[in-house]
Amino acid sequence: MNLFNEIRALVLDCLQAMMEAGELPAGLDMAAVAVEPPRDVAHGDMATNAAMVLARPSGRKPREIAEALAGRLGDDARILSAEVAGPGFLNLRLAPSLWQGVVAAALAAGRDFGRSDLGAGRRVNVEFVSANPTGPMHVGHVRGAVVGDALACLLAFAGWQVTREYYINDGGAQVDVLARSAYERYREAHGLSPEIAEGLYPGDYLIEVGEALKVEFGDRFLNRPEEEWLAAFRDFATERMMAMIRDDLAALGVQMDVYASEKALYGTGKIEAALKRLREQGLIYEGVLEPPKGKTPEDWEPREQTLFRSTSHGDDVDRPVKKSDGGWTYFAPDIAYHWDKIERGFDDLIDVFGADHGGYVKRMKAAVAALSAGRVPLEIKLVQLVKLYKDGVPFKMSKRAGTFVTLRDVVEMVGADVTRFVMLTRKNDAPLDFDFDKVLEQSRDNPVWYVQYAHARIASVLRKAEAAGMAVDDATLARADLARLDHPAELALIRRLADWPRQVEIAARAQEPHRIAAYLGELASELHTHWNRGNDEPGLRFLQDDAGVSAAKLALARATGVVISAGLAILGVVPAEEMR
RNA sequence: GCACCCAUAGCUCAGCUGGAUAGAGCGCUGCCCUCCGAAGGCAGAGGUCGCAGGUUCGAAUCCUGCUGGGUGCGCCA
């Protein structure tokens, strides 16, 4: 139930009637007609820009259209008043019962309140994290994991059919390095001293992999040439790393639907097939790239390579798909992987990348545009860095000094819920500060705490009511006489609740889950303000002597709790029943 | 050199894909509270939305050009 959509539909009906009556030319495009909350509550409950938007295409003055529209809207029982204001805004006042109905709707729908069919069942693939399987996830991966997962939740809530997917980069040189690093730990497990050469992965997490390799292979590969063990060690170690990464993700509450392997694309003809498709469009050719201007690499020499004509789809230069030694570049399997996603029938593709991969956005979009003949839009969300702080002081990370922060560390220090919420307090393309102390602070300026506190307060008052012998289940509360919720302060809170379904659609359309966190902060603020007013005005407290009045007020409290739960569920955060 | 992202109150940031007098928290100033409806409350001051143009009824929002910051730029992923 989205009250704004309901009123917009009413506005469109009236406009339709005006077209039929000849007051407006037929066939006007209504797409830009919006019904929104007014900036200033004094203006009314809702405002529409219909008259201003339609003035030009209909060749009439905005105020004239507004007057006529106001007359028709006023005939509807739901509209108390419709007033023309400013350049042609139409300010609407709604019957209070409409607002009160929002409370009942929230109680009836529970955590599904605000669900939308905006996505109309379109299938969307959200690829995120995709960290190299060479070690545990570190704090840099956390934000991408949270943003991707929350975005997936948000889209699912808004009517998309969502697949969460992780692309395992297990086909490149870095997994050979992993195998060699594991080999040294394997030697170590046999009592030899490991030689962790420059460029190998020095992390302690490989020690147990070495032990496991010893159990698996005994001493068979000791002092044997690399060709004999490399492939086996690589497979073994990457499998171990992926198990670790799955555990890390689970600790954050992230559950992938699909793990896609880069390695699985090799030797199966998939890369060739994807490139063939591009070749058929004349987008693959042999050529020599110009060196980048202004920053020519030291060892630059022109070489002929197999190139993808990405410039024909908006890229700045064409991109190599084959290395000079004839092997594929990383881009080639990436193309094949996205071709695979297209073939699996997704309507929308989303990739969540670290901001340092920003340079690949255009070429990836070019590849998908070419492969899908423009049918499948690819959206790439770049996630900026997280700056760590401890007590307001920047927290330097160093593998060497042992101050390297893993995802595990973060979750163990502050918990998955806090981690997730804080990672969503900024839009994905802005840098984020994460202070280990501040995120646990119990104060107004900690949004996580503030939202949880609001939910806990509601839970507390409901417990209190129940202890006093009241029935506080949703079905009973929904039957309360909600017309008694007529105080301006209560209506202000209800207005905020009514905005929830709208915020879901706005966030989903923009693919920006952080908006949900921001909305929850505002809703929590509204709840706390209302609660505090109860100190001075006892008549506003949720618990009253009159059982009927209490029931109505508790219904409002519970409806607020429902919306907070629904919002937190999208962020993957468990609402708090009490603060301790 | 080129591309992408960012620039909004003293600080940290929101800002509905173009709407009305640009918002919140912190900090600052003033008032109130010490009642377990608790881990404070209320109010106020504070802005040339980086700069300059453009598009239009209307721009923080869209376009162009600058300035400043971040990221990246063939055979690493």
Side-chain angles (χ1 to χ4, degrees):
Chain A
M1 182 239 185
N2 183 332
L3 198 50
F4 290 89
N5 286 349
E6 188 182 327
I7 299 304
R8 179 168 188 267
L10 172 62
V11 169
L12 293 186
D13 284 348
C14 291
L15 291 169
Q16 186 63 39
M18 287 168 68
M19 286 195 281
E20 282 162 16
E23 295 167 33
L24 283 175
L28 287 176
D29 179 11
M30 301 293 177
V33 173
V35 173
E36 302 176 320
R39 185 184 297 279
D40 188 341
V41 287
H43 290 151
D45 292 332
M46 291 186 187
T48 178
N49 61 355
M52 285 181 293
V53 172
L54 298 177
R56 174 178 288 269
S58 66
R60 301 199 40 195
K61 289 180 182 159
R63 292 194 67 99
E64 275 177 33
I65 301 176
E67 301 283 356
L69 179 58
R72 289 182 182 268
L73 284 168
D75 290 340
D76 192 282
R78 289 169 287 183
I79 306 298
L80 285 189
S81 73
E83 288 171 11
V84 184
F89 279 102
L90 200 48
N91 290 327
L92 309 176
R93 280 182 202 284
L94 274 49
S97 60
L98 256 63
W99 294 116
Q100 290 145 2
V102 170
V103 173
L107 292 172
R111 284 201 185 186
D112 286 329
F113 182 60
R115 238 178 226 287
S116 162
D117 59 358
L118 186 71
R122 281 169 66 90
R123 296 183 59 205
V124 59
N125 181 293
V126 184
E127 182 209 325
F128 60 111
V129 188
S130 299
N132 287 338
T134 56
M137 289 181 63
H138 56 80
V139 70
H141 298 121
V142 174
R143 192 172 180 194
V146 171
V147 168
D149 193 46
L151 176 57
C153 286
L154 171 62
L155 293 176
F157 198 70
W160 272 267
Q161 212 178 311
V162 182
T163 297
R164 292 170 170 80
E165 191 152 324
Y166 184 120
Y167 179 58
I168 309 169
N169 290 114
D170 54 2
Q174 76 283 359
V175 283
D176 288 343
V177 175
L178 173 70
R180 292 186 191 107
S181 307
Y183 184 79
E184 292 306 319
R185 296 304 188 178
Y186 165 73
R187 294 181 61 247
E188 184 177 23
H190 280 93
L192 302 165
S193 64
E195 293 164 23
I196 314 289
E198 186 70 28
L200 292 188
Y201 302 123
D204 289 346
Y205 58 88
L206 288 176
I207 292 175
E208 57 177 307
V209 176
E211 297 283 353
L213 283 164
K214 179 183 171 186
V215 172
E216 180 78 9
F217 298 113
D219 59 5
R220 206 187 317 166
F221 293 123
L222 282 182
N223 302 312
R224 304 300 300 172
E226 186 176 293
E227 308 87 76
E228 292 184 22
W229 49 261
L230 187 70
F233 273 44
R234 187 178 54 210
D235 292 352
F236 189 93
T238 48
E239 188 41 56
R240 283 303 183 111
M241 293 301 103
M242 283 312 298
M244 196 163 67
I245 287 172
R246 281 170 216 246
D247 284 351
D248 283 348
L249 287 172
L252 242 196
V254 176
Q255 178 85 43
M256 294 288 174
D257 299 308
V258 176
Y259 284 87
S261 161
E262 175 193 356
K263 197 178 64 184
L265 296 168
Y266 291 94
T268 57
K270 292 207 170 188
I271 296 176
E272 292 78 0
L275 292 183
K276 177 166 174 276
R277 200 175 156 79
L278 295 177
R279 197 181 300 276
E280 285 164 0
Q281 301 175 50
L283 297 176
I284 301 289
Y285 68 102
E286 305 296 320
V288 181
L289 286 176
E290 295 286 312
K293 291 202 166 52
K295 192 210 165 201
T296 308
E298 298 289 315
D299 56 350
W300 177 272
E301 46 183 290
R303 281 185 189 146
E304 189 172 85
Q305 298 172 280
T306 305
L307 300 168
F308 165 47
R309 199 182 302 281
S310 53
T311 47
S312 69
H313 287 274
D315 201 357
D316 308 303
V317 290
D318 293 338
R319 306 292 178 175
V321 294
K322 267 190 184 176
K323 298 190 274 192
S324 51
D325 67 3
W328 300 117
T329 61
Y330 61 87
F331 186 41
D334 271 355
I335 291 172
Y337 172 49
H338 281 78
W339 170 230
D340 179 63
K341 288 197 268 192
I342 292 165
E343 280 201 309
R344 277 186 275 152
F346 290 103
D347 301 302
D348 293 289
L349 298 182
I350 299 177
D351 289 350
V352 179
F353 287 170
D356 54 339
H357 285 54
Y360 305 99
V361 170
K362 284 189 177 180
R363 78 188 65 170
M364 214 61 252
K365 285 191 173 187
V368 169
L371 288 168
S372 74
R375 184 185 71 80
V376 181
L378 168 66
E379 215 38 69
I380 299 184
K381 315 299 281 183
L382 294 180
V383 177
Q384 273 291 352
L385 291 180
V386 176
K387 278 184 260 176
L388 294 179
Y389 291 83
K390 186 121 178 65
D391 248 343
V393 187
F395 193 73
K396 295 270 187 247
M397 279 208 299
S398 157
K399 283 187 184 177
R400 227 165 267 240
T403 54
F404 190 71
V405 182
T406 64
L407 176 150
R408 267 315 151 136
D409 295 335
V410 179
V411 170
E412 277 166 17
M413 274 191 270
V414 307
D417 284 338
V418 167
T419 304
R420 294 186 61 122
F421 194 104
V422 173
M423 290 293 170
L424 292 165
T425 51
R426 294 277 176 273
K427 53 185 157 199
N428 57 278
D429 49 10
L432 173 79
D433 291 342
F434 190 100
D435 189 312
F436 283 102
D437 299 295
K438 281 189 181 163
V439 299
L440 292 177
E441 211 170 85
Q442 302 201 342
S443 74
R444 171 73 186 89
D445 56 328
N446 178 358
V448 200
W449 178 85
Y450 200 57
V451 170
Q452 292 286 31
Y453 184 25
H455 191 269
R457 272 186 155 172
I458 292 164
S460 160
V461 77
L462 287 168
R463 278 195 301 269
K464 209 167 160 186
E466 196 169 22
M470 289 191 64
V472 294
D473 61 285
D474 291 351
T476 304
L477 291 179
R479 286 196 298 273
D481 181 11
L482 299 176
R484 308 182 90 146
L485 296 172
D486 56 359
H487 190 283
E490 291 166 336
L491 288 169
L493 183 52
I494 295 175
R495 260 193 269 281
R496 190 70 74 170
L497 297 179
D499 201 33
W500 165 242
R502 193 173 152 269
Q503 291 295 336
V504 169
E505 294 194 350
I506 288 169
R509 226 186 292 271
Q511 301 179 340
E512 292 181 343
H514 79 276
R515 287 174 189 270
I516 301 298
Y519 167 82
L520 289 176
E522 287 165 10
L523 175 60
S525 176
E526 201 83 59
L527 185 277
H528 288 303
T529 297
H530 188 258
W531 184 283
N532 290 329
R533 286 183 75 162
N535 290 337
D536 297 332
E537 282 181 66
L540 285 180
R541 298 183 182 189
F542 292 111
L543 288 175
Q544 300 289 325
D545 292 336
D546 182 316
V549 176
S550 287
K553 292 184 189 298
L554 287 169
L556 173 58
R558 173 60 188 155
T560 307
V562 159
V563 172
I564 293 176
S565 311
L568 287 178
I570 289 174
L571 309 186
V573 174
V574 180
E577 296 302 313
E578 57 182 335
M579 306 305 282
R580 29 180 56 254

